[in-house]
Amino acid sequence: MKSPVEQTLPEIGTKKRLAVFKFASCDGCQLSLLDCEDELLAVADAVEIAYFLEATSRIAPGPYDVALVEGSITTPYDAERIQEVRRQASYLVTIGACATSGGIQSLKNWADHEDFLRCVYARPDYISTLETSTAIADHVAVDFELRGCPINRYQLIDVLKSLIAGRRPRTPSHSVCLDCKRRATVCVEVAQGLPCLGPVTHTGCGAICPAYDRGCYGCFGPAAQPNCDSLVAQYLDTGSTHEDLIPLLHNFNADAPEFRDAGNQIRQSAGLSTTGGRP
Ligand code: SF4
Ligand code: SF4
């Protein structure tokens, strides 16, 4: 169920009922939506905000035409709740690295979950949580995924405009390298030998990190058809170590299959666990 499966598009011409749901996340992607301000005015007449607790305590019951879902699944309660969100939503869009790839919290997928509980909570026995953090698409069908940590608000508005117009949303899926070329940034991999995830990372950030002389660390997740194996082999050949590459791949989008598998191969070759001790 990992790939988005598009359902019926919302009907054209009617005011769309929009709901925004939060799961395990930092709220940054919802804030990107709130930050839109002027851009939101362009769609305000065509949308009724029916459920958006970050913005208003007014709650209108479902069903909803479009549900935006932020955050990953980390508790048994949320694993149930997302099923109800799916039932209520005609078109479900996941927003951000947490929702599309498990988020930074999916680093616990490679660690002993009980250790984390003991470190963080005075009474871990009060906490009900799953051993892993997983993407929304691992639990329900998702119609469209919008990547990034946080998302690009212009891409979000574009997705909403498409749905209002009854069109399938489309966002570019090329790699960050193309954006570097467009802004004439000197390649940090070629010029400085820094490991950079740009060749396998989805566009959306505007290639900010290379413009500030550091390698991309993949916050928009995998680009279309990323060749992670080849990139990792190249970096290992040119002096990067396991210690450099594992945190690069197992990061904000650690549980995205392409980054997860490439990072796991390096972990295996370094004799590290790929499951956090789980069978
Ligand atoms: S994807 Fe990043 S910004 Fe968005 S909710 Fe998750 S941690 Fe926050
Ligand atoms: S700096 Fe990174 S993203 Fe930019 S062109 Fe070089 S490898 Fe690609």
Side-chain angles (χ1 to χ4, degrees), residues 24-29 70-71 95-99 103-105 148-151 252:
S25 63
C26 82
D27 290 25
C29 289
E70 175 198 82
I95 56 169
C98 297
I104 195 75
Q105 57 272 30
C149 181
I151 51 168
F252 302 98

Side-chain angles (χ1 to χ4, degrees), residues 90-254:
S90 297
Y91 201 92
L92 191 152
V93 180
T94 49
I95 56 169
C98 297
T100 55
S101 311
I104 195 75
Q105 57 272 30
S106 67
L107 292 181
K108 77 171 184 169
N109 302 359
W110 285 269
D112 182 342
H113 142 92
E114 298 293 334
D115 276 352
F116 277 124
L117 285 180
R118 278 190 292 273
C119 288
V120 175
Y121 298 103
R123 290 295 307 267
D125 49 315
Y126 285 5
I127 305 298
S128 170
T129 182
L130 299 169
E131 290 188 339
T132 54
S133 168
T134 44
I136 299 298
D138 287 343
H139 299 265
V140 294
V142 168
D143 301 308
F144 191 78
E145 292 184 320
L146 197 54
R147 297 169 180 277
C149 181
I151 51 168
N152 174 323
R153 60 181 169 158
Y154 299 106
Q155 288 187 347
L156 175 61
I157 292 293
D158 205 45
V159 166
L160 290 177
K161 282 182 180 167
S162 295
L163 293 174
I164 288 165
R167 280 189 279 113
R168 294 190 193 290
R170 291 277 178 266
T171 48
S173 58
H174 60 260
S175 76
V176 174
C177 288
L178 186 55
D179 298 327
C180 264
K181 303 304 171 211
R182 281 180 175 150
R183 58 187 289 174
T185 299
V186 174
C187 176
V188 298
E189 199 280 326
V190 173
Q192 302 179 46
L194 295 177
C196 175
L197 276 196
V200 293
T201 296
H202 197 283
T203 181
C205 64
I208 298 169
C209 290
Y212 286 90
D213 254 359
R214 61 158 292 172
C216 161
Y217 52 100
C219 56
F220 269 70
Q225 300 171 330
N227 191 340
C228 294
D229 292 346
S230 176
L231 191 73
V232 166
Q234 165 70 13
Y235 287 157
L236 289 173
D237 273 355
T238 51
S240 294
T241 64
H242 294 137
E243 287 79 14
D244 297 325
L245 299 180
I246 293 170
L248 208 52
L249 288 156
H250 288 175
N251 199 325
F252 302 98
N253 287 281

